[in-house]
Amino acid sequence: MSVLFTSAFGLLSYLSVQNNTALIFERLVSVCATAGLLVWSGMCLSFIRFYYALQLRPDIISRSDDDYPYRSPFQPYLAYMGLIIGLLLVFASGFIVFLKNEWSSLFFISSYGSLFLFVFCYIFYKVLKQTKVQRLDQIDLDSGRREIDRVIWEDEKYYASNFKEILIKGINLLV
């Protein structure tokens, strides 16, 4: 399987045979960029749902608690910003085809093909597996928690830095 996968990259060398190599490479990059933006938007949405599901569980340590080991600044606002900007960039990636006399089917497919494929796969999976989006109070936050709860957090070790400390460390690296 790995030989087939790596030999598939050899097919890319045939791009140099034609004069429109740069155009084809641009289209491949466009498809990959759109897919990457969709992945990042999905991660932001997952974090937002996790954040609010965690607030509904009083038996689990709160993110605002000082003992919570994994903390990032400005959350969930940065996740909302990442989700919105990611989706805006996906939709704006091929806006030029909608301008007068600028229609290109190839550019439209390379810009929005990943989006259509994502929507198709999502709906296909939901219909095939007959799953539903779970309510926040039904999200499983306990799988794998026993193993993590067994870890004894060291009092001397500071696990989460605040934004001011991260900024000072960054400035010290530059100086």
Side-chain angles (χ1 to χ4, degrees):
M1 190 59 104
S2 62
V3 171
L4 290 174
F5 178 74
T6 54
S7 63
F9 288 103
L11 295 174
L12 291 176
S13 64
Y14 286 111
L15 291 176
S16 63
V17 175
Q18 298 291 331
N19 292 335
N20 59 354
T21 303
L23 180 67
I24 294 172
F25 185 71
E26 274 182 35
R27 299 303 181 239
L28 288 173
V29 169
S30 177
V31 168
C32 293
T34 305
L37 286 169
L38 286 171
V39 168
W40 276 104
S41 298
M43 286 190 293
C44 289
L45 180 63
S46 296
F47 175 79
I48 291 167
R49 288 184 50 80
F50 166 74
Y51 180 84
Y52 289 113
L54 191 63
Q55 288 183 344
L56 294 175
R57 293 282 303 271
D59 59 318
I60 298 178
I61 188 170
S62 170
R63 282 182 54 85
S64 59
D65 193 336
D66 289 336
D67 293 330
Y68 190 80
Y70 309 108
R71 192 172 309 151
S72 51
F74 309 119
Q75 292 299 349
Y77 308 111
L78 282 180
Y80 278 114
M81 190 172 81
L83 175 66
I84 291 167
I85 290 175
L87 290 176
L88 283 175
L89 287 173
V90 166
F91 289 117
S93 66
F95 79 95
I96 198 162
V97 297
F98 299 111
L99 299 177
K100 188 175 183 180
N101 297 328
E102 293 293 331
W103 178 259
S104 168
S105 299
L106 182 62
F107 188 71
F108 178 80
I109 290 172
S110 68
S111 297
Y112 297 114
S114 298
L115 179 63
F116 294 135
L117 181 65
F118 169 77
V119 170
F120 172 76
C121 289
Y122 182 79
I123 292 171
F124 181 74
Y125 180 81
K126 289 294 182 185
V127 170
L128 183 70
K129 297 290 187 175
Q130 297 178 350
T131 62
K132 296 179 182 175
V133 177
Q134 293 183 344
R135 294 189 336 232
L136 290 178
D137 59 342
Q138 293 177 342
I139 292 177
D140 179 20
L141 297 175
D142 296 320
S143 293
R145 219 175 109 210
R146 282 191 198 137
E147 293 80 18
I148 293 174
D149 285 345
R150 289 186 192 137
V151 175
I152 300 171
W153 300 105
E154 299 172 13
D155 290 335
E156 304 297 322
K157 191 171 181 180
Y158 191 69
Y159 289 97
S161 300
N162 60 25
F163 184 71
K164 182 179 177 184
E165 290 177 7
I166 293 171
L167 187 63
I168 290 172
K169 286 179 185 177
I171 291 172
N172 288 338
L173 279 172
L174 295 175
V175 175

